[in-house]
Amino acid sequence: MGAPAVSPGQRRRIPLREVTLPHVCPRPVRMYVLARSPYFSDLGDDDLGRIDERMQATSWREGDSLYRAGEPAGHLYIVAEGRVKLSQVTPSGVETVADVLAPGELFGAMGTLGEPFHLQSASAMVGSCALRIDQESFRAVLREHPTVALRVLDDVAARLTRAHTDIGGQSTDTVAQRVATALLRLADKLGEDRGADGILIEVPLARTDLAGLARSTPESVSRVMSRWRREGVIDSGRRWTAIKDRDRLEAMKGAA
Amino acid sequence: MGAPAVSPGQRRRIPLREVTLPHVCPRPVRMYVLARSPYFSDLGDDDLGRIDERMQATSWREGDSLYRAGEPAGHLYIVAEGRVKLSQVTPSGVETVADVLAPGELFGAMGTLGEPFHLQSASAMVGSCALRIDQESFRAVLREHPTVALRVLDDVAARLTRAHTDIGGQSTDTVAQRVATALLRLADKLGEDRGADGILIEVPLARTDLAGLARSTPESVSRVMSRWRREGVIDSGRRWTAIKDRDRLEAMKGAA
DNA sequence: GCTGCACCATGACGCACGTCAATCAACGGG
DNA sequence: CCCGTTGATTGACGTGCGTCATGGTGCAGC
C-alpha cells in the first residue's frame, strides 16, 4: 500500500507552510490590495492611485507590534499581506485575542472618528504588511467619493450585526458551541482545503488564541478539541488546526 | 417632621409617571426630532424639510409591535417619542431584550444595507412614535449629503466599539457585574434624577427585560438586585428601578 | 540526535449560576 | 375595597467550566 498512511489523531506535525518572510510592499501589491477591496471597487485607476498616494505601507515580521492598546489612534489600516491579530487586555491583565485579520480587512481607527486611543493591540502573527491612512485623509476620501462612504458604512453595519449576533450567543452557548463557531469562522476566512487532511486554518493559532476567540480558557478549549479529535471531526496539533468534518462541526454550533 | 418618610426598601409602589398615550406625531415634533438628531445637525431647515417629506411617522401604543424578526427589512427608523424595545428570539425560542431605545436613536435596517430580513423584533414599551424612511431614500440622502454619511458612519462605528467592549466583558464578568453595567447604561440613557429617591430609570422594565440585557435569568437578576436593595445601592419594585448610590454601583462593574 | 522550552493534555476540585418549584406582593378591574 | 393575575422573591439542587497542578510532546537550536 505504499507509504504507511498516517492515521487520524496521529499526525501531530505542523502542516502549515513556511510563513511569509518580512518584506516590503511594492506598489503593484498595494494597488492590487486597494483594487480588490470592496470599498474601492467603484473607483478607476486614477482615483485609486490618488488614494494610494495618501497611504503608506509598512511591513512587520512575526510577533511585531503594529500598535498597542492605549496609544493614540489616528490611522486606519488595511491588511495587505499576512495575518494580523487584534487583542485586548482584560482588566485583570490577561491578553486575549479578539480577532485574526486576513488581507483586505480594515482595522485601527475604524469609524474614522471613534476613540482617540486604541482599545485593542495589533500584532503580526506571521510576516505581514499593511497600508495605513490617517483619519483626516480618509474622511476626505469619503467626502469626495460618497459611494465609497456607503460601502464602508455597509461593511461597518454588517460587522455590527455580527457583533450583535455574537453577543446573543456568547452567554447562552456552551464552550463547545463557541469554539465550533470560532473555528468555522476562521476556516471560512483563512481555511485552505487540503483534501483528505481537511480544511487547514492557515495561521499559527495556539490554544490560548482560540480560547480568546471563544471567550474561554486554554484548558477548556483543549478538552473540547481533544474530544473532537477522537471523534474525527477535527485534527490539530501545536499551533495548528484542521477541520475534517465541516458538517458535524457546524452541527456543534447548534447543540453541544 | 411632616409626612413619615418612606424608609429604603419599603417603598415598592411604582414611581413611574403615567406613560405617554397613543398619539400622532405632528409636523413640529418630527422636525424637532430631525433637527436634534446628530446626523442632521449640519443641515438647514430646507434640507431637513426635504428629508422630512421622505419620512413617514407612525405611532404605537404600549405593547404594539413595530416589526418582527424574520420580516423583510427595508426601512430605517428613528424614535421620535416613547421607548422602543429591541428583542431577539434565541434558537430555544425565548425572547430576550437586546436594547431599549430612547428618542433620537436609530434602528431597523441599520447600515442601509445589512440583512434583507429583520434579525430582531421591535415593540413599543410605552406609547411611542417613530419616523421611518426606506433604504433607497436613505441611501440617496447619504449620497447627497456626505457630511451626514460621515456622521452616521461615526455613530455606527461607535456602536461597533461598544459592542466589542460588551463582547469582551460578557463571558468573564459575573452576573452582578453585567447587571450593574446594564443598569448604569440605562440610567445614562433613560434616567431622571429624583433627588433622595435616586436616579429613576424612566421605562417599565421587568426583571425578565433586565435579564435579557445582562444576558442572564430573571432569578439571578432578582437575587443580585435584592442584595443591592438591602445594601441601599438601588431601589426597585415591580417593573421599575432607581439607582440610589451611583458610585457604589459603578464600583460593582469592576469587581463583583 | 540530544536537549530545553513552550505548548498541550488531563485530572481534581469548587463555585457561580441556570433550572425547577413554591410563596409572596403589587397593580388593575370590578 | 377586595380579588385575580402577573411579576418578584427565595430556596434547593445540579452542573459546566474556570482554576490549579502535573505530566506529556512537538519543535528549534546546537
Side-chain angles (χ1 to χ4, degrees):
Chain A
M1 309 256 181
V6 196
S7 65
Q10 298 288 353
R11 183 175 57 80
R12 309 303 302 278
R13 314 224 126 200
I14 192 166
L16 286 176
R17 303 189 167 145
E18 60 284 4
V19 296
T20 54
L21 294 173
H23 59 92
V24 293
C25 275
R27 192 160 195 281
V29 171
R30 290 155 57 185
M31 288 297 281
Y32 178 74
V33 169
L34 288 183
R36 265 185 59 91
S37 165
Y39 303 130
F40 307 119
S41 56
D42 289 333
L43 270 48
D45 282 349
D46 46 344
D47 280 331
L48 280 183
R50 271 194 298 275
I51 293 175
D52 178 64
E53 279 165 22
R54 305 216 226 193
M55 304 192 82
Q56 57 177 272
T58 321
S59 58
W60 293 268
R61 53 179 88 197
E62 177 172 349
D64 282 356
S65 165
L66 278 70
Y67 55 78
R68 299 196 177 281
E71 291 176 2
H75 293 266
L76 182 86
Y77 294 75
I78 298 178
V79 181
E81 271 193 60
R83 304 280 184 257
V84 172
K85 174 171 80 173
L86 296 183
S87 51
Q88 41 196 178
V89 186
T90 66
S92 43
V94 191
E95 184 174 315
T96 58
V97 177
D99 207 355
V100 175
L101 307 178
E105 292 195 90
L106 215 75
F107 66 104
M110 267 307 301
T112 70
L113 173 135
E115 295 285 320
F117 301 98
H118 286 295
L119 298 172
Q120 305 180 312
S121 301
S123 63
M125 299 185 80
V126 298
S128 301
C129 170
L131 309 179
R132 70 178 209 183
I133 183 172
D134 71 277
Q135 272 183 22
E136 251 336 298
S137 299
F138 189 60
R139 292 188 88 92
V141 170
L142 296 187
R143 263 191 301 267
E144 287 164 28
H145 305 284
T147 77
V148 175
L150 279 180
R151 286 181 183 275
V152 172
L153 182 57
D154 286 345
D155 178 64
V156 177
R159 290 180 193 225
L160 184 59
T161 304
R162 194 176 79 70
H164 277 145
T165 320
D166 283 5
I167 293 181
Q170 300 240 323
S171 356
T172 345
D173 295 357
T174 65
V175 168
Q177 290 176 295
R178 280 178 275 153
V179 173
T181 306
L183 283 180
L184 286 167
R185 202 164 70 75
L186 288 171
D188 288 344
K189 189 151 75 178
L190 312 168
E192 193 192 283
D193 199 321
R194 293 285 179 92
D197 288 343
I199 306 165
L200 180 66
I201 294 173
E202 293 274 0
V203 60
L205 203 69
R207 295 291 172 277
T208 309
D209 300 323
L210 264 172
L213 292 170
R215 300 287 139 194
S216 178
T217 60
E219 291 93 333
S220 292
V221 170
S222 182
R223 272 182 248 274
V224 169
M225 291 181 65
S226 295
R227 200 179 72 227
W228 287 341
R229 206 181 316 124
R230 279 193 297 274
E231 295 171 356
V233 179
I234 65 168
D235 198 0
S236 68
R238 190 193 179 92
R239 289 158 70 86
W240 65 270
T241 307
I243 295 170
K244 306 207 73 168
D245 191 337
R246 197 186 195 289
D247 293 343
R248 254 198 297 166
L249 192 57
E250 192 87 45
M252 303 291 180
K253 284 208 312 198
Chain B
M1 311 261 177
V6 196
S7 66
Q10 298 287 351
R11 182 175 58 81
R12 309 302 302 278
R13 314 225 125 200
I14 192 166
L16 287 176
R17 302 190 166 143
E18 61 284 3
V19 295
T20 54
L21 294 173
H23 57 91
V24 292
C25 274
R27 191 161 196 284
V29 171
R30 290 155 57 184
M31 289 295 283
Y32 178 73
V33 169
L34 287 183
R36 264 185 59 92
S37 164
Y39 304 129
F40 307 119
S41 56
D42 290 332
L43 270 47
D45 283 348
D46 46 344
D47 281 331
L48 279 183
R50 273 195 296 275
I51 293 175
D52 178 65
E53 279 164 22
R54 306 216 226 192
M55 305 193 84
Q56 58 177 271
T58 321
S59 58
W60 293 266
R61 54 179 85 198
E62 178 172 347
D64 282 355
S65 166
L66 279 70
Y67 56 77
R68 297 194 178 282
E71 290 176 4
H75 293 267
L76 182 87
Y77 294 77
I78 298 177
V79 181
E81 271 193 61
R83 303 278 184 259
V84 172
K85 174 171 79 175
L86 297 183
S87 50
Q88 40 197 178
V89 186
T90 66
S92 44
V94 191
E95 183 174 316
T96 57
V97 178
D99 207 354
V100 175
L101 305 179
E105 292 195 90
L106 216 74
F107 66 105
M110 265 310 299
T112 70
L113 172 135
E115 294 286 320
F117 300 99
H118 286 295
L119 298 172
Q120 304 180 312
S121 301
S123 64
M125 300 186 79
V126 299
S128 301
C129 171
L131 310 179
R132 69 176 209 185
I133 183 172
D134 71 276
Q135 274 182 21
E136 249 337 295
S137 299
F138 189 61
R139 292 188 88 92
V141 169
L142 296 188
R143 264 190 299 266
E144 287 164 29
H145 304 284
T147 77
V148 176
L150 280 179
R151 286 183 183 275
V152 173
L153 181 58
D154 286 344
D155 178 63
V156 177
R159 290 181 194 226
L160 184 60
T161 304
R162 196 178 76 70
H164 277 144
T165 320
D166 282 6
I167 292 181
Q170 299 239 322
S171 358
T172 344
D173 294 359
T174 66
V175 168
Q177 291 177 296
R178 280 178 274 155
V179 173
T181 307
L183 283 179
L184 286 168
R185 202 165 70 76
L186 288 171
D188 288 343
K189 188 151 76 178
L190 312 168
E192 192 193 283
D193 200 321
R194 292 287 179 90
D197 288 343
I199 305 164
L200 181 66
I201 294 172
E202 294 275 359
V203 62
L205 202 70
R207 294 290 173 278
T208 310
D209 301 323
L210 264 173
L213 291 171
R215 301 284 140 194
S216 178
T217 60
E219 291 95 331
S220 292
V221 171
S222 183
R223 272 182 248 272
V224 169
M225 290 179 66
S226 296
R227 198 179 73 225
W228 287 342
R229 207 183 314 123
R230 279 194 298 276
E231 295 171 355
V233 178
I234 65 168
D235 199 0
S236 69
R238 191 192 177 91
R239 288 159 68 86
W240 66 270
T241 306
I243 294 169
K244 307 206 72 168
D245 190 337
R246 196 186 196 290
D247 292 344
R248 243 184 320 155
L249 192 58
E250 193 86 45
M252 302 293 180
K253 285 208 311 198

